Amino acid sequence: MRNADGWGALEVRHIRAFATVVEVGSFSAAARELGYTQSAVSQHIAALERIVGSAVLRRPPGGRRPLELTDAGRVVLAHARPLLARVQAAQADIASLAGGDLGRLTVLTFQSFGARLLPAVLSRFRERCPGVEVQIEEA
């Protein structure tokens, strides 16, 4: 197989389809799991194989025997799992950011408020939003 697309064309959906096929054992089960058509899963795997430059799965004739990983497939899968975990972590972080549970807050204060009232307010805020970084600046 030729590496016509190049690694720059690799997309998360290719990796996710491949990892799901390996996990569930068939293209049709992966399609159900991902909410795709079986044809779409096949196209994602085919695109991945073009990018990789070789087959990632061995499809036994007759379709009744289990799929087998090729050597290239084992290498791709070893990288796919941490990649998908990082994508999921990024998704969770963005959701936390959108929900106000993560981010950065700058508080402008003046000396008397900062010394007397702000510590108690910040203490409660940090209990509620431990993932938000607070920076205090005096005005």
Side-chain angles (χ1 to χ4, degrees), residues 100-103 105-107 114 118-137:
D101 298 324
L102 187 67
L105 173 68
T106 301
V107 177
L118 190 56
V121 171
L122 281 179
S123 177
R124 284 192 309 235
F125 179 79
R126 287 187 174 132
E127 286 174 11
R128 286 185 171 171
C129 303
V132 177
E133 176 188 335
V134 177
Q135 180 178 346
I136 301 168
E137 294 180 10

PDB file of all heavy atoms in Angstrom, residues 100-103 105-107 114 118-137:
ATOM      1  N   GLY A 100     -17.015  26.414  34.366  1.00  0.00           N
ATOM      2  CA  GLY A 100     -16.469  27.268  35.417  1.00  0.00           C
ATOM      3  C   GLY A 100     -15.665  26.529  36.466  1.00  0.00           C
ATOM      4  O   GLY A 100     -15.293  27.109  37.485  1.00  0.00           O
ATOM      5  N   ASP A 101     -15.393  25.263  36.237  1.00  0.00           N
ATOM      6  CA  ASP A 101     -14.639  24.465  37.205  1.00  0.00           C
ATOM      7  C   ASP A 101     -13.134  24.516  36.971  1.00  0.00           C
ATOM      8  O   ASP A 101     -12.360  23.993  37.770  1.00  0.00           O
ATOM      9  CB  ASP A 101     -15.089  23.001  37.153  1.00  0.00           C
ATOM     10  CG  ASP A 101     -16.543  22.843  37.524  1.00  0.00           C
ATOM     11  OD1 ASP A 101     -17.007  23.591  38.402  1.00  0.00           O
ATOM     12  OD2 ASP A 101     -17.217  21.983  36.929  1.00  0.00           O
ATOM     13  N   LEU A 102     -12.721  25.120  35.875  1.00  0.00           N
ATOM     14  CA  LEU A 102     -11.316  25.166  35.496  1.00  0.00           C
ATOM     15  C   LEU A 102     -11.076  26.501  34.831  1.00  0.00           C
ATOM     16  O   LEU A 102     -11.958  27.033  34.154  1.00  0.00           O
ATOM     17  CB  LEU A 102     -11.018  24.013  34.517  1.00  0.00           C
ATOM     18  CG  LEU A 102      -9.591  23.761  34.106  1.00  0.00           C
ATOM     19  CD1 LEU A 102      -8.785  23.274  35.302  1.00  0.00           C
ATOM     20  CD2 LEU A 102      -9.545  22.714  33.007  1.00  0.00           C
ATOM     21  N   GLY A 103      -9.910  27.065  34.993  1.00  0.00           N
ATOM     22  CA  GLY A 103      -9.580  28.313  34.320  1.00  0.00           C
ATOM     23  C   GLY A 103      -8.722  29.203  35.193  1.00  0.00           C
ATOM     24  O   GLY A 103      -8.091  28.757  36.142  1.00  0.00           O
ATOM     25  N   LEU A 105      -8.657  33.179  37.063  1.00  0.00           N
ATOM     26  CA  LEU A 105      -9.420  34.339  37.507  1.00  0.00           C
ATOM     27  C   LEU A 105      -8.453  35.350  38.083  1.00  0.00           C
ATOM     28  O   LEU A 105      -7.622  35.003  38.929  1.00  0.00           O
ATOM     29  CB  LEU A 105     -10.449  33.921  38.564  1.00  0.00           C
ATOM     30  CG  LEU A 105     -11.232  35.027  39.253  1.00  0.00           C
ATOM     31  CD1 LEU A 105     -12.183  35.706  38.273  1.00  0.00           C
ATOM     32  CD2 LEU A 105     -12.010  34.448  40.425  1.00  0.00           C
ATOM     33  N   THR A 106      -8.539  36.581  37.621  1.00  0.00           N
ATOM     34  CA  THR A 106      -7.728  37.660  38.177  1.00  0.00           C
ATOM     35  C   THR A 106      -8.637  38.557  38.996  1.00  0.00           C
ATOM     36  O   THR A 106      -9.672  39.015  38.509  1.00  0.00           O
ATOM     37  CB  THR A 106      -7.047  38.476  37.061  1.00  0.00           C
ATOM     38  OG1 THR A 106      -6.229  37.607  36.290  1.00  0.00           O
ATOM     39  CG2 THR A 106      -6.193  39.595  37.638  1.00  0.00           C
ATOM     40  N   VAL A 107      -8.250  38.780  40.247  1.00  0.00           N
ATOM     41  CA  VAL A 107      -9.023  39.618  41.156  1.00  0.00           C
ATOM     42  C   VAL A 107      -8.228  40.895  41.408  1.00  0.00           C
ATOM     43  O   VAL A 107      -7.089  40.835  41.889  1.00  0.00           O
ATOM     44  CB  VAL A 107      -9.297  38.904  42.501  1.00  0.00           C
ATOM     45  CG1 VAL A 107     -10.029  39.821  43.462  1.00  0.00           C
ATOM     46  CG2 VAL A 107     -10.058  37.616  42.268  1.00  0.00           C
ATOM     47  N   GLY A 114      -8.459  43.567  50.379  1.00  0.00           N
ATOM     48  CA  GLY A 114      -7.592  42.413  50.196  1.00  0.00           C
ATOM     49  C   GLY A 114      -7.118  41.822  51.503  1.00  0.00           C
ATOM     50  O   GLY A 114      -6.971  40.611  51.633  1.00  0.00           O
ATOM     51  N   LEU A 118     -11.098  39.624  51.550  1.00  0.00           N
ATOM     52  CA  LEU A 118     -10.757  38.723  50.447  1.00  0.00           C
ATOM     53  C   LEU A 118     -10.333  37.320  50.896  1.00  0.00           C
ATOM     54  O   LEU A 118     -10.730  36.338  50.255  1.00  0.00           O
ATOM     55  CB  LEU A 118      -9.691  39.362  49.550  1.00  0.00           C
ATOM     56  CG  LEU A 118      -9.407  38.668  48.239  1.00  0.00           C
ATOM     57  CD1 LEU A 118     -10.682  38.505  47.405  1.00  0.00           C
ATOM     58  CD2 LEU A 118      -8.351  39.436  47.450  1.00  0.00           C
ATOM     59  N   PRO A 119      -9.571  37.156  51.962  1.00  0.00           N
ATOM     60  CA  PRO A 119      -9.172  35.789  52.352  1.00  0.00           C
ATOM     61  C   PRO A 119     -10.349  34.844  52.584  1.00  0.00           C
ATOM     62  O   PRO A 119     -10.320  33.695  52.132  1.00  0.00           O
ATOM     63  CB  PRO A 119      -8.360  36.002  53.626  1.00  0.00           C
ATOM     64  CG  PRO A 119      -7.796  37.367  53.473  1.00  0.00           C
ATOM     65  CD  PRO A 119      -8.877  38.165  52.778  1.00  0.00           C
ATOM     66  N   ALA A 120     -11.376  35.297  53.235  1.00  0.00           N
ATOM     67  CA  ALA A 120     -12.539  34.427  53.489  1.00  0.00           C
ATOM     68  C   ALA A 120     -13.280  34.119  52.185  1.00  0.00           C
ATOM     69  O   ALA A 120     -13.710  32.986  51.954  1.00  0.00           O
ATOM     70  CB  ALA A 120     -13.489  35.087  54.486  1.00  0.00           C
ATOM     71  N   VAL A 121     -13.418  35.134  51.330  1.00  0.00           N
ATOM     72  CA  VAL A 121     -14.086  34.943  50.039  1.00  0.00           C
ATOM     73  C   VAL A 121     -13.289  33.950  49.189  1.00  0.00           C
ATOM     74  O   VAL A 121     -13.851  33.027  48.594  1.00  0.00           O
ATOM     75  CB  VAL A 121     -14.266  36.292  49.304  1.00  0.00           C
ATOM     76  CG1 VAL A 121     -14.748  36.091  47.882  1.00  0.00           C
ATOM     77  CG2 VAL A 121     -15.208  37.197  50.079  1.00  0.00           C
ATOM     78  N   LEU A 122     -11.979  34.119  49.133  1.00  0.00           N
ATOM     79  CA  LEU A 122     -11.133  33.213  48.340  1.00  0.00           C
ATOM     80  C   LEU A 122     -11.152  31.799  48.895  1.00  0.00           C
ATOM     81  O   LEU A 122     -11.128  30.834  48.126  1.00  0.00           O
ATOM     82  CB  LEU A 122      -9.693  33.729  48.288  1.00  0.00           C
ATOM     83  CG  LEU A 122      -9.434  34.853  47.305  1.00  0.00           C
ATOM     84  CD1 LEU A 122      -7.987  35.284  47.370  1.00  0.00           C
ATOM     85  CD2 LEU A 122      -9.809  34.440  45.896  1.00  0.00           C
ATOM     86  N   SER A 123     -11.191  31.663  50.186  1.00  0.00           N
ATOM     87  CA  SER A 123     -11.242  30.334  50.795  1.00  0.00           C
ATOM     88  C   SER A 123     -12.489  29.578  50.338  1.00  0.00           C
ATOM     89  O   SER A 123     -12.416  28.415  49.930  1.00  0.00           O
ATOM     90  CB  SER A 123     -11.212  30.462  52.316  1.00  0.00           C
ATOM     91  OG  SER A 123     -11.331  29.195  52.901  1.00  0.00           O
ATOM     92  N   ARG A 124     -13.642  30.239  50.388  1.00  0.00           N
ATOM     93  CA  ARG A 124     -14.886  29.598  49.939  1.00  0.00           C
ATOM     94  C   ARG A 124     -14.846  29.320  48.432  1.00  0.00           C
ATOM     95  O   ARG A 124     -15.306  28.275  47.975  1.00  0.00           O
ATOM     96  CB  ARG A 124     -16.088  30.470  50.300  1.00  0.00           C
ATOM     97  CG  ARG A 124     -16.432  30.402  51.769  1.00  0.00           C
ATOM     98  CD  ARG A 124     -17.781  31.027  52.042  1.00  0.00           C
ATOM     99  NE  ARG A 124     -17.850  32.366  51.452  1.00  0.00           N
ATOM    100  CZ  ARG A 124     -18.144  33.468  52.112  1.00  0.00           C
ATOM    101  NH1 ARG A 124     -18.437  33.409  53.389  1.00  0.00           N
ATOM    102  NH2 ARG A 124     -18.182  34.630  51.512  1.00  0.00           N
ATOM    103  N   PHE A 125     -14.302  30.272  47.671  1.00  0.00           N
ATOM    104  CA  PHE A 125     -14.224  30.091  46.224  1.00  0.00           C
ATOM    105  C   PHE A 125     -13.351  28.881  45.884  1.00  0.00           C
ATOM    106  O   PHE A 125     -13.703  28.068  45.031  1.00  0.00           O
ATOM    107  CB  PHE A 125     -13.669  31.356  45.547  1.00  0.00           C
ATOM    108  CG  PHE A 125     -13.540  31.217  44.058  1.00  0.00           C
ATOM    109  CD1 PHE A 125     -14.651  31.350  43.233  1.00  0.00           C
ATOM    110  CD2 PHE A 125     -12.310  30.931  43.469  1.00  0.00           C
ATOM    111  CE1 PHE A 125     -14.549  31.209  41.857  1.00  0.00           C
ATOM    112  CE2 PHE A 125     -12.199  30.790  42.101  1.00  0.00           C
ATOM    113  CZ  PHE A 125     -13.318  30.931  41.299  1.00  0.00           C
ATOM    114  N   ARG A 126     -12.223  28.754  46.536  1.00  0.00           N
ATOM    115  CA  ARG A 126     -11.309  27.631  46.263  1.00  0.00           C
ATOM    116  C   ARG A 126     -11.918  26.288  46.651  1.00  0.00           C
ATOM    117  O   ARG A 126     -11.621  25.271  46.044  1.00  0.00           O
ATOM    118  CB  ARG A 126      -9.973  27.852  46.955  1.00  0.00           C
ATOM    119  CG  ARG A 126      -9.158  28.921  46.264  1.00  0.00           C
ATOM    120  CD  ARG A 126      -7.768  29.042  46.829  1.00  0.00           C
ATOM    121  NE  ARG A 126      -6.998  29.972  46.028  1.00  0.00           N
ATOM    122  CZ  ARG A 126      -6.270  30.953  46.525  1.00  0.00           C
ATOM    123  NH1 ARG A 126      -6.196  31.125  47.838  1.00  0.00           N
ATOM    124  NH2 ARG A 126      -5.591  31.755  45.735  1.00  0.00           N
ATOM    125  N   GLU A 127     -12.761  26.266  47.666  1.00  0.00           N
ATOM    126  CA  GLU A 127     -13.476  25.038  48.018  1.00  0.00           C
ATOM    127  C   GLU A 127     -14.437  24.633  46.909  1.00  0.00           C
ATOM    128  O   GLU A 127     -14.576  23.457  46.597  1.00  0.00           O
ATOM    129  CB  GLU A 127     -14.252  25.214  49.325  1.00  0.00           C
ATOM    130  CG  GLU A 127     -13.394  25.230  50.557  1.00  0.00           C
ATOM    131  CD  GLU A 127     -14.193  25.543  51.817  1.00  0.00           C
ATOM    132  OE1 GLU A 127     -15.443  25.545  51.758  1.00  0.00           O
ATOM    133  OE2 GLU A 127     -13.552  25.784  52.861  1.00  0.00           O
ATOM    134  N   ARG A 128     -15.115  25.621  46.346  1.00  0.00           N
ATOM    135  CA  ARG A 128     -16.094  25.349  45.283  1.00  0.00           C
ATOM    136  C   ARG A 128     -15.446  25.091  43.933  1.00  0.00           C
ATOM    137  O   ARG A 128     -15.956  24.296  43.149  1.00  0.00           O
ATOM    138  CB  ARG A 128     -17.053  26.526  45.136  1.00  0.00           C
ATOM    139  CG  ARG A 128     -18.054  26.634  46.227  1.00  0.00           C
ATOM    140  CD  ARG A 128     -19.018  27.739  45.910  1.00  0.00           C
ATOM    141  NE  ARG A 128     -20.116  27.729  46.842  1.00  0.00           N
ATOM    142  CZ  ARG A 128     -21.016  28.673  46.921  1.00  0.00           C
ATOM    143  NH1 ARG A 128     -20.949  29.710  46.119  1.00  0.00           N
ATOM    144  NH2 ARG A 128     -21.980  28.596  47.786  1.00  0.00           N
ATOM    145  N   CYS A 129     -14.352  25.772  43.643  1.00  0.00           N
ATOM    146  CA  CYS A 129     -13.716  25.696  42.316  1.00  0.00           C
ATOM    147  C   CYS A 129     -12.216  25.459  42.462  1.00  0.00           C
ATOM    148  O   CYS A 129     -11.403  26.347  42.172  1.00  0.00           O
ATOM    149  CB  CYS A 129     -13.969  26.986  41.533  1.00  0.00           C
ATOM    150  SG  CYS A 129     -15.696  27.394  41.317  1.00  0.00           S
ATOM    151  N   PRO A 130     -11.818  24.277  42.913  1.00  0.00           N
ATOM    152  CA  PRO A 130     -10.390  24.036  43.155  1.00  0.00           C
ATOM    153  C   PRO A 130      -9.535  24.065  41.888  1.00  0.00           C
ATOM    154  O   PRO A 130      -8.324  24.266  41.960  1.00  0.00           O
ATOM    155  CB  PRO A 130     -10.372  22.650  43.804  1.00  0.00           C
ATOM    156  CG  PRO A 130     -11.639  22.003  43.382  1.00  0.00           C
ATOM    157  CD  PRO A 130     -12.636  23.104  43.214  1.00  0.00           C
ATOM    158  N   GLY A 131     -10.143  23.893  40.720  1.00  0.00           N
ATOM    159  CA  GLY A 131      -9.377  23.886  39.478  1.00  0.00           C
ATOM    160  C   GLY A 131      -9.154  25.258  38.879  1.00  0.00           C
ATOM    161  O   GLY A 131      -8.477  25.397  37.865  1.00  0.00           O
ATOM    162  N   VAL A 132      -9.697  26.308  39.507  1.00  0.00           N
ATOM    163  CA  VAL A 132      -9.543  27.661  38.989  1.00  0.00           C
ATOM    164  C   VAL A 132      -8.344  28.320  39.668  1.00  0.00           C
ATOM    165  O   VAL A 132      -8.262  28.387  40.889  1.00  0.00           O
ATOM    166  CB  VAL A 132     -10.822  28.497  39.209  1.00  0.00           C
ATOM    167  CG1 VAL A 132     -10.617  29.930  38.738  1.00  0.00           C
ATOM    168  CG2 VAL A 132     -12.005  27.863  38.492  1.00  0.00           C
ATOM    169  N   GLU A 133      -7.428  28.770  38.853  1.00  0.00           N
ATOM    170  CA  GLU A 133      -6.247  29.468  39.353  1.00  0.00           C
ATOM    171  C   GLU A 133      -6.643  30.920  39.636  1.00  0.00           C
ATOM    172  O   GLU A 133      -7.222  31.592  38.784  1.00  0.00           O
ATOM    173  CB  GLU A 133      -5.145  29.424  38.296  1.00  0.00           C
ATOM    174  CG  GLU A 133      -3.914  30.188  38.642  1.00  0.00           C
ATOM    175  CD  GLU A 133      -2.933  30.260  37.482  1.00  0.00           C
ATOM    176  OE1 GLU A 133      -2.963  29.370  36.618  1.00  0.00           O
ATOM    177  OE2 GLU A 133      -2.160  31.227  37.444  1.00  0.00           O
ATOM    178  N   VAL A 134      -6.324  31.412  40.825  1.00  0.00           N
ATOM    179  CA  VAL A 134      -6.683  32.778  41.206  1.00  0.00           C
ATOM    180  C   VAL A 134      -5.411  33.605  41.306  1.00  0.00           C
ATOM    181  O   VAL A 134      -4.458  33.223  41.986  1.00  0.00           O
ATOM    182  CB  VAL A 134      -7.445  32.807  42.550  1.00  0.00           C
ATOM    183  CG1 VAL A 134      -7.753  34.246  42.958  1.00  0.00           C
ATOM    184  CG2 VAL A 134      -8.705  31.968  42.467  1.00  0.00           C
ATOM    185  N   GLN A 135      -5.431  34.729  40.626  1.00  0.00           N
ATOM    186  CA  GLN A 135      -4.313  35.660  40.689  1.00  0.00           C
ATOM    187  C   GLN A 135      -4.855  36.956  41.293  1.00  0.00           C
ATOM    188  O   GLN A 135      -5.882  37.478  40.857  1.00  0.00           O
ATOM    189  CB  GLN A 135      -3.768  35.923  39.278  1.00  0.00           C
ATOM    190  CG  GLN A 135      -2.602  36.874  39.254  1.00  0.00           C
ATOM    191  CD  GLN A 135      -2.068  37.058  37.850  1.00  0.00           C
ATOM    192  OE1 GLN A 135      -2.390  36.290  36.937  1.00  0.00           O
ATOM    193  NE2 GLN A 135      -1.258  38.072  37.652  1.00  0.00           N
ATOM    194  N   ILE A 136      -4.159  37.458  42.289  1.00  0.00           N
ATOM    195  CA  ILE A 136      -4.606  38.670  42.971  1.00  0.00           C
ATOM    196  C   ILE A 136      -3.671  39.805  42.585  1.00  0.00           C
ATOM    197  O   ILE A 136      -2.446  39.684  42.684  1.00  0.00           O
ATOM    198  CB  ILE A 136      -4.622  38.469  44.497  1.00  0.00           C
ATOM    199  CG1 ILE A 136      -5.547  37.319  44.864  1.00  0.00           C
ATOM    200  CG2 ILE A 136      -5.030  39.766  45.215  1.00  0.00           C
ATOM    201  CD1 ILE A 136      -5.434  36.857  46.277  1.00  0.00           C
ATOM    202  N   GLU A 137      -4.279  40.902  42.155  1.00  0.00           N
ATOM    203  CA  GLU A 137      -3.504  42.091  41.826  1.00  0.00           C
ATOM    204  C   GLU A 137      -4.072  43.269  42.595  1.00  0.00           C
ATOM    205  O   GLU A 137      -5.288  43.410  42.699  1.00  0.00           O
ATOM    206  CB  GLU A 137      -3.560  42.367  40.320  1.00  0.00           C
ATOM    207  CG  GLU A 137      -2.874  41.313  39.482  1.00  0.00           C
ATOM    208  CD  GLU A 137      -2.932  41.611  38.002  1.00  0.00           C
ATOM    209  OE1 GLU A 137      -3.343  42.737  37.617  1.00  0.00           O
ATOM    210  OE2 GLU A 137      -2.562  40.728  37.220  1.00  0.00           O
TER     211      GLU A 137
END
